[in-house]
């Protein structure tokens, strides 16, 4: 993967793709580049206004793009189910690529529509439910992949299986780290279960390093902490790579030939640069933790995975 860039993306013609959080930042770049290579792309976004604007922008940058916007609020399981139910008219029984990209970072304490801590509920549980609901389409599609976007900040904290919703105590950055560790544990257990079922789906994870997006400022903006927001914006300008650079890890995991299951792909030096295999905390490879998180996630979301491979 030395110096891998968008020119290495294989032809995606005929592939059906869902990208969550595609209205801006990494998700938008991911959707745009896949559409540029011929994929049919759904921009799955919470805001109709921002999703529509992103679609218009994409069509202006890639006039031949086959793309559409569909509403998806990962902080509301009813919205997740509605999105999954309505996807038949886009791709029928098949789906080639699911990019679990959307997320929130370091928010003041909030809960989702279903009462989950917002970061855990959005970053992990929403994507867990979505993947489970779309799994039959993915299983029916040769060469399908699932890419879940984590973060190097997963190293801040492992999941607390006794307090998944941070009800005992809440620290925004610890909660964020736990949600991103959950993304990696999910990928690890999903890989194990796919292999056990005899499926050829490749589930992997990616991270953007330090990329300049609106994710970093959302939390402090919600609290009106303008001075902190200015410091974050300065760091983004001086240190961060662009969203285009940050999306390379996701695009590589999604399209590079011979991608290994359960791989974690990100910038070579951790913060910026060409994609490579990335460091991950040892706890994100613990089978027992991953299995227990999976069971808890099924109980919380009421989504049970069916790994039956069609025609097997």
């Amino acid at each position: 993967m030395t110096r891998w860039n968008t020119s290495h993306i294989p032809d995606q013609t005929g592939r059906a793709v869902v990208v969550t959080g595609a209205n801006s930042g990494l998700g938008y770049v991911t959707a745009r580049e896949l559409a540029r290579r011929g994929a049919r792309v759904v921009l799955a976004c919470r805001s109709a206004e921002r999703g529509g604007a992103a679609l218009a922008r994409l069509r202006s940058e890639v006039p031949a793009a086959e793309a559409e916007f569909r509403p998806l609020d990962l902080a509301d399981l009813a919205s997740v189910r509605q999105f999954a139910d309505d996807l038949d008219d886009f791709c029928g029984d098949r789906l080639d690529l699911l990019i679990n990209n959307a997320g929130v970072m370091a928010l003041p304490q909030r809960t989702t529509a279903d009462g989950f801590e917002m970061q855990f509920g959005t970053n992990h549980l929403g994507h867990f439910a979505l993947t489970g609901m779309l799994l039959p389409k993915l299983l029916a599609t040769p060469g399908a992949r699932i890419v879940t976007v984590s973060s190097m900040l997963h190293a801040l904290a492992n999941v607390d299986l006794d307090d998944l919703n941070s009800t005992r105590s809440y620290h925004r950055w610890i909660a964020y780290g736990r949600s991103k560790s959950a993304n990696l544990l999910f990928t690890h257990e999903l890989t194990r279960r796919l292999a056990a079922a005899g499926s050829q789906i490749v589930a992997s994870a990616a991270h953007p390093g330090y990329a300049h997006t609106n994710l970093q400022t959302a939390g402090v903006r919600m609290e009106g902490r303008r001075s902190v927001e200015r410091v974050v914006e300065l760091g983004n300008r001086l240190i961060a790579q662009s969203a285009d650079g940050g999306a390379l890890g996701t695009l590589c995991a999604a399209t590079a030939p011979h991608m290994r299951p359960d791989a974690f792909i990100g910038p070579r030096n951790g913060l910026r640069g060409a994609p490579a295999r990335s460091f991950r905390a040892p706890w994100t490879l613990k089978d027992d933790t991953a299995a227990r998180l999976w069971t808890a996630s099924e109980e919380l979301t009421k989504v049970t995975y069916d790994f039956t491979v069609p025609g097997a």
Side-chain angles (χ1 to χ4, degrees):
M1 292 185 289
T2 302
R3 297 187 179 180
W4 193 96
N5 57 53
T6 54
S7 70
H8 294 97
I9 298 175
D11 179 37
Q12 300 294 298
T13 300
R15 301 192 81 205
V17 178
V18 170
V19 183
T20 69
N23 58 283
S24 65
L26 309 175
Y28 174 77
V29 173
T30 300
R32 183 193 68 200
E33 294 306 312
L34 292 171
R36 198 189 301 278
R37 293 298 186 276
R40 298 172 56 237
V41 182
V42 168
L43 284 66
C45 315
R46 180 176 59 84
S47 165
E49 179 181 0
R50 291 192 293 272
L55 179 61
R57 177 185 171 194
L58 190 154
R59 287 175 171 165
S60 70
E61 294 186 77
V62 187
E66 292 188 67
E68 58 184 79
F69 156 72
R70 297 205 175 189
L72 171 65
D73 184 354
L74 290 160
D76 184 345
L77 292 178
S79 173
V80 176
R81 187 169 296 280
Q82 188 67 58
F83 175 87
D85 288 346
D86 291 346
L87 201 61
D88 285 356
D89 64 359
F90 171 73
C91 58
D93 295 330
R94 298 166 58 89
L95 179 63
D96 295 88
L97 180 57
L98 172 61
I99 307 287
N100 291 324
N101 164 81
V104 292
M105 174 192 279
L107 301 180
Q109 191 166 16
R110 298 284 191 277
T111 56
T112 69
D114 303 282
F116 309 129
E117 187 276 311
M118 183 64 76
Q119 298 188 81
F120 179 70
T122 302
N123 298 351
H124 170 61
L125 291 178
H127 282 127
F128 179 91
L130 178 66
T131 304
M133 293 174 191
L134 296 181
L135 186 61
K137 297 181 188 298
L138 292 156
L139 287 167
T141 310
R145 293 191 186 187
I146 301 164
V147 181
T148 300
V149 178
S150 182
S151 167
M152 284 300 287
L153 292 180
H154 79 274
L156 289 173
N158 191 6
V159 297
D160 183 346
L161 291 166
D162 296 320
D163 189 24
L164 289 173
N165 284 302
S166 301
T167 55
R168 295 175 185 169
S169 64
Y170 181 80
H171 185 286
R172 69 185 69 204
W173 285 108
I174 296 300
Y176 180 70
R178 287 173 174 166
S179 74
K180 294 287 106 177
S181 283
N183 290 150
L184 289 170
L185 286 162
F186 165 62
T187 299
H188 184 65
E189 181 66 6
L190 178 58
T191 294
R192 187 191 70 78
R193 292 182 181 233
L194 287 167
S199 171
Q200 299 301 307
I201 293 175
V202 175
S204 61
H207 74 89
Y210 184 6
H212 187 175
T213 70
N214 59 13
L215 193 64
Q216 294 94 343
T217 57
V220 292
R221 186 177 297 120
M222 287 174 64
E223 294 183 311
R225 296 191 293 162
R226 182 56 187 159
S227 60
V228 177
E229 185 179 352
R230 284 196 290 268
V231 171
V232 174
E233 289 173 343
L234 179 62
N236 280 347
R237 289 196 297 271
L238 295 179
I239 304 172
Q241 63 179 342
S242 66
D244 285 61
L248 288 177
T250 302
L251 289 163
C252 181
T255 67
H258 313 300
M259 181 57 55
R260 293 180 60 185
D262 204 24
F264 187 33
I265 307 298
R268 185 171 298 278
N269 72 359
L271 293 178
R272 57 192 303 149
R277 293 291 294 270
S278 181
F279 162 82
R280 63 192 290 177
W283 60 71
T284 67
L285 293 167
K286 295 292 186 181
D287 293 349
D288 179 65
T289 305
R292 291 175 63 195
L293 175 64
W294 186 282
T295 298
S297 300
E298 286 192 330
E299 292 173 352
L300 290 169
T301 63
K302 305 297 189 291
V303 174
T304 301
Y305 280 50
D306 181 358
F307 286 90
T308 304
V309 178

